[in-house]
Amino acid sequence: MRALLISSALAAAFVAMPVAAQSGCPASPQSADDTAASAPLVPIAPEAAPTPSPLAPLAEDSPWRTRFEAAADELLPALQSRQPDRWQPLLGGHWLGATEREAVATLLDDQCAAFASLLAAPGPIERRILGWSLPASYSAADRAAIAARPEAEALVCWSAGRGGEPVWPRTAAEADNSADRPYACARIAYSMRDGTPSWRAFVERG
């Protein structure tokens, strides 16, 4: 029971970020003050929420960088085409379920969603390849073991530039392709098992 009450309180604490007005696109709903209504009847000492791992640009000298760059160069034009036969193979092919296919197609067709400005961008598109920052507590041995793994993941984010310096996600939770984001992102999982390069992209909507 305690766990259920805590989950309810934490879920109510999240508030949607303000949305920049976009012509013809409805603003994301603003959360009302529902915290009091959903608070537990019995006072409970709050538990600290886990701190999300911050994102950081993938190091220039990372052996994975050129692989993620090549994958991103292939992925963006496929998404911009809006043609399922081009983007589906990059998002898992037959492993991509019908629900997931429909969700991606809906996201790409949504003129108010995060990808809309990228799909119709007449000018240059900025790109960042982001990885997860390792906690300072990790030892040199831990870091070496992670670097030696035959798999890696990164977030690739694009911005068509809506005026001013591009803003990028600080954590994976901010790379959710919500309509109010000034960028759109895809997660790429890369594998070099048995020396054979392969990758799959994931495009998700928060």
Side-chain angles (χ1 to χ4, degrees):
M1 182 65 179
R2 173 183 168 88
L4 290 175
L5 292 175
I6 293 174
S7 298
S8 175
L10 288 177
F14 287 100
V15 180
M17 295 178 61
V19 179
Q22 297 184 35
S23 176
C25 296
S28 297
Q30 297 296 313
S31 296
D33 186 12
D34 297 327
T35 304
S38 60
L41 298 177
V42 180
I44 299 173
E47 295 183 3
T51 302
S53 299
L55 298 173
L58 199 65
E60 292 289 342
D61 60 351
S62 169
W64 294 99
R65 187 172 184 84
T66 56
R67 296 167 185 151
F68 283 120
E69 287 176 338
D73 287 342
E74 187 176 354
L75 178 60
L76 182 58
L79 295 174
Q80 286 177 314
S81 74
R82 292 195 183 94
Q83 299 175 16
D85 61 338
R86 291 189 58 183
W87 55 259
Q88 283 185 20
L90 306 182
L91 271 63
H94 67 279
W95 297 109
L96 188 67
T99 301
E100 289 77 14
R101 289 197 301 271
E102 183 178 351
V104 174
T106 299
L107 177 62
L108 296 179
D109 287 338
D110 189 342
Q111 296 304 304
C112 296
F115 275 92
S117 60
L118 298 178
L119 301 180
I125 293 176
E126 297 264 1
R127 183 181 72 191
R128 291 292 184 278
I129 299 178
L130 307 168
W132 286 262
S133 298
L134 295 178
S137 59
Y138 276 39
S139 67
D142 292 333
R143 295 171 185 272
I146 292 173
R149 290 175 181 171
E151 302 98 2
E153 281 195 4
L155 285 169
V156 179
C157 297
W158 300 273
S159 174
R162 299 180 184 176
E165 193 69 20
V167 177
W168 304 103
R170 295 165 297 178
T171 66
E174 295 180 2
D176 57 3
N177 292 321
S178 293
D180 57 330
R181 304 296 189 191
Y183 48 74
C185 301
R187 176 168 57 92
I188 296 179
Y190 211 108
S191 173
M192 287 294 295
R193 283 195 176 276
D194 302 321
T196 303
S198 63
W199 60 272
R200 177 181 176 181
F202 299 82
V203 176
E204 296 150 337
R205 188 175 196 170

